[in-house]
Amino acid sequence: MKSARNRQLSFAFADSPMGGGDERKSDVSDGTAWLLHRAKNRKVEDLATSGEADESLMERIAFIGNLALALRNVARNKGAPGVDKRSVEEVIAVSPRLLFTLRRALLDGGYRPGDIRRVWIPKPGGGQRGLGIPNVVDRWVQEAVRLVLEPIFEPRFHPSSLGFRPGRGAATAIAEAKAHVATGYEWVVDMGLSKFCDRVHHQRLLARLGQHVADPRVLTLVNWMLKAAVVMPDGVRIPTVEGTPQGGPLSPLLSNIVLDELDWELDRRGLRFVRYADDCNIFVGSERAGCRVMDSTRRFVERKLRLRVNEKKSAVARPEERHFLGFRLRPSGDGRVAVHISKRTKDRLDAKIRELTPRSWGQSLTSLFESVNSYLRGWFGYYRLCTEEEASAPPLSTPCPAWHHPEDGRCDGVSPQRHLEEEQSARADPGLSQSLVSRAADVALRNLAELPYVSGGLAARPALCREITIRRAGCVAHKSGSVRGAAG
């Protein structure tokens, strides 16, 4: 495996340009234009099939148009280099030559994936989650495989599997969960899997793939990807015997293929459920029924799928007591279901805003506002599903009547509102809760009101405007909690 890995790295980058920065940029631009031209020639209808995949599946993966589209998708996602330290830009620069070499290697069986770089990221609830970063060339091949396998498996997935699928997402998952609660199923079996990606059984996964993939070369290629060794941050190389690496383009599809067996088992039992990745909510009519379903589903997961239920994060409870994709559902008794953000989401928001508005800030307030705005725009975009939310942030303790220059106290004519409203956007989304927007503004204000301002080597406390505004897609949230639409 070690010699194969070295051969792959050499094969991929023997002709890499080593010129200056301007030359590198020119090569990247030329490579991008060439990829766009080649990707346009990809015929989706020629690559996808509604029936069983035939034995020419590798030819579809190695099709020039498919490989060009795959690299274009990898380039759009950007991402960090793998263990070979080659960036996306470097691969794009040599792509006109590398693509044909890669195609031949895939068809004649000479391609071998490189090792995977392990990085650790903090988990919201504490602890760390391991991510695997393949080399850019390996991400390219994984994306090419995904583009061909996804049309084969997508029609076979259960409709209630809503994570990492085209045209589906958190909004559709919450909508389906609301429908179940609205029809009287007001108890939820909230089941999460413990270290799911680290415990996927390779032979079971390959067997599931083999039910619809007739080309043995593709199964062998996926097996090599699964067996790629992991390089830890300290340089230790660890062989992989089970699990799918989180971080590659193919991993979400493989995860759904594994858990599709669970989806159809729940369907066979007549249960109403919503699954998003490894989080599954099963809706039942009583607590007793929920306990019964929890026990039987746990047995299926552990005995049949050879996975493990996360007992700490799984429970039978009312929907308003559980955290699902950052939300909680509360039935109103008249057939309607309100969508709130969960307590965990509120705590994460408060912590993130405090992180973005530190007590010591060595840059301009303009950059601080831009950082807060960038985060809140994405946050509001995701949590716009909320129908109502309580305003729980306490008011400011000290009024800040004006915006003054930090050095001599004079007004500089630039208010926080101007800093925070630099983008033109559409009108306000009426589904966004007023108090939800106000909460984020309150948290930011409390921190900014105590923020030291450093300029010219002198530290002073500026008088911050009490009515600081935060904009999200044309939605202006004031300290008072009111929301108004902004034109244009």
Side-chain angles (χ1 to χ4, degrees):
M1 186 66 170
K2 183 176 181 180
S3 61
R5 183 179 75 261
N6 292 338
R7 182 170 66 251
Q8 188 266 341
L9 294 176
S10 176
F11 129 76
F13 293 103
D15 297 326
S16 296
M18 299 301 292
D22 292 339
E23 181 181 350
R24 178 70 54 82
K25 291 180 181 179
S26 176
D27 291 339
V28 171
S29 300
D30 293 343
T32 302
W34 186 84
L35 282 176
L36 290 173
H37 172 70
R38 284 291 183 174
K40 289 180 180 178
N41 296 328
R42 182 185 187 268
K43 301 292 185 181
V44 178
E45 59 269 20
D46 293 340
L47 299 176
T49 175
S50 58
E52 298 298 315
D54 56 31
E55 295 185 1
S56 63
L57 206 60
M58 184 61 79
E59 280 69 24
R60 300 180 183 184
I61 292 172
F63 177 62
I64 292 296
N66 187 62
L67 288 175
L69 180 59
L71 182 54
R72 190 183 71 174
N73 291 347
V74 171
R76 284 177 174 174
N77 292 333
K78 299 181 181 179
V83 294
D84 64 358
K85 300 182 181 180
R86 301 289 181 171
S87 67
V88 173
E89 290 76 15
E90 289 179 277
V91 175
I92 292 176
V94 299
S95 60
R97 298 190 300 274
L98 181 57
L99 187 145
F100 294 97
T101 306
L102 181 60
R103 169 180 164 80
R104 288 194 299 270
L106 288 170
L107 293 177
D108 64 21
Y111 167 79
R112 294 293 186 276
D115 290 346
I116 295 174
R117 181 167 70 91
R118 171 73 77 195
V119 296
W120 299 100
I121 60 174
K123 297 173 67 174
Q128 291 183 318
R129 174 183 288 111
L131 288 183
I133 302 180
N135 295 331
V136 175
V137 171
D138 299 328
R139 298 206 297 269
W140 180 4
V141 175
Q142 285 192 32
E143 177 65 10
V145 174
R146 184 196 68 80
L147 288 171
V148 174
L149 291 186
E150 189 172 76
I152 297 172
F153 286 92
E154 180 61 31
R156 296 176 168 88
F157 287 150
H158 195 279
S160 293
S161 169
L162 300 170
F164 305 106
R165 295 182 60 189
R168 296 169 172 84
T172 49
I174 295 300
E176 186 166 331
K178 282 179 61 179
H180 294 320
V181 175
T183 53
Y185 295 89
E186 297 184 358
W187 285 86
V188 61
V189 180
D190 185 2
M191 178 175 290
L193 300 181
S194 176
K195 298 182 179 180
F196 164 69
C197 289
D198 297 333
R199 290 182 170 137
V200 170
H201 193 274
H202 289 175
Q203 292 306 314
R204 284 193 55 82
L205 171 56
L206 292 172
R208 295 285 293 180
L209 278 171
Q211 293 177 5
H212 305 292
V213 174
D215 191 334
R217 296 172 296 174
V218 176
L219 297 177
T220 300
L221 175 60
V222 173
N223 185 48
W224 282 334
M225 293 175 176
L226 294 173
K227 299 294 185 184
V230 175
V231 178
M232 305 301 288
D234 58 2
V236 176
R237 185 170 180 265
I238 300 176
T240 302
V241 296
E242 64 178 1
T244 60
Q246 287 182 279
L250 190 59
S251 296
L253 176 62
L254 296 181
S255 298
N256 276 331
I257 290 174
V258 170
L259 294 177
D260 187 58
E261 192 172 357
L262 171 62
D263 298 338
W264 288 107
E265 174 65 18
L266 297 177
D267 180 87
R268 186 187 65 81
R269 299 180 184 182
L271 297 171
R272 294 163 175 80
F273 71 96
V274 177
R275 183 179 65 79
Y276 193 97
D278 58 349
D279 290 326
C280 184
N281 276 11
I282 308 170
F283 297 88
V284 295
S286 67
E287 183 178 14
R288 182 177 179 180
C291 294
R292 187 167 58 247
V293 169
M294 174 70 85
D295 291 339
S296 62
T297 306
R298 181 190 293 108
R299 287 194 298 270
F300 179 84
V301 167
E302 296 181 350
R303 297 178 182 177
K304 187 72 180 290
L305 302 184
R306 301 186 185 182
L307 299 171
R308 189 175 302 171
V309 174
N310 189 329
E311 300 294 345
K312 292 183 179 179
K313 295 184 178 180
S314 301
V316 178
R318 296 284 190 180
E320 61 265 30
E321 299 171 359
R322 302 303 296 171
H323 171 101
F324 183 54
L325 303 179
F327 301 92
R328 57 190 177 90
L329 307 178
R330 175 179 291 174
S332 60
D334 56 358
R336 293 184 298 178
V337 179
V339 180
H340 302 309
I341 58 172
S342 67
K343 182 182 182 303
R344 192 189 309 176
T345 300
K346 294 178 182 178
D347 295 340
R348 291 177 184 174
L349 172 63
D350 292 355
K352 185 64 177 181
I353 294 298
R354 293 189 187 98
E355 177 187 333
L356 294 174
T357 56
R359 293 294 182 267
S360 57
W361 182 259
Q363 305 178 44
S364 69
L365 285 177
T366 300
S367 63
L368 182 146
F369 293 143
E370 289 174 352
S371 176
V372 173
N373 246 6
S374 176
Y375 174 76
L376 289 180
R377 275 194 295 269
W379 193 90
F380 289 140
Y382 181 82
Y383 289 102
R384 70 183 186 276
L385 303 175
C386 291
T387 53
E388 182 183 358
E389 190 59 45
E390 306 85 2
S392 56
L396 283 173
S397 57
T398 304
C400 303
W403 180 253
H404 289 84
H405 194 277
E407 295 186 28
D408 56 16
R410 59 181 172 80
C411 178
D412 66 0
V414 181
S415 71
Q417 176 172 349
R418 176 176 169 183
H419 288 293
L420 293 169
E421 293 184 359
E422 294 187 353
E423 281 194 23
Q424 290 189 352
S425 310
R427 290 186 178 273
D429 185 346
L432 184 66
S433 165
Q434 296 183 6
S435 53
L436 182 60
V437 179
S438 177
R439 176 189 180 84
D442 275 326
V443 174
L445 274 171
R446 290 201 306 274
N447 254 26
L448 290 174
E450 301 178 6
L451 180 67
Y453 190 91
V454 181
S455 178
L458 298 176
R461 290 176 56 88
L464 295 178
C465 172
R466 181 176 178 81
E467 190 174 324
I468 187 171
T469 58
I470 295 178
R471 183 184 185 94
R472 194 284 291 169
C475 185
V476 182
H478 289 271
K479 170 63 187 71
S480 61
S482 62
V483 178
R484 58 180 172 85

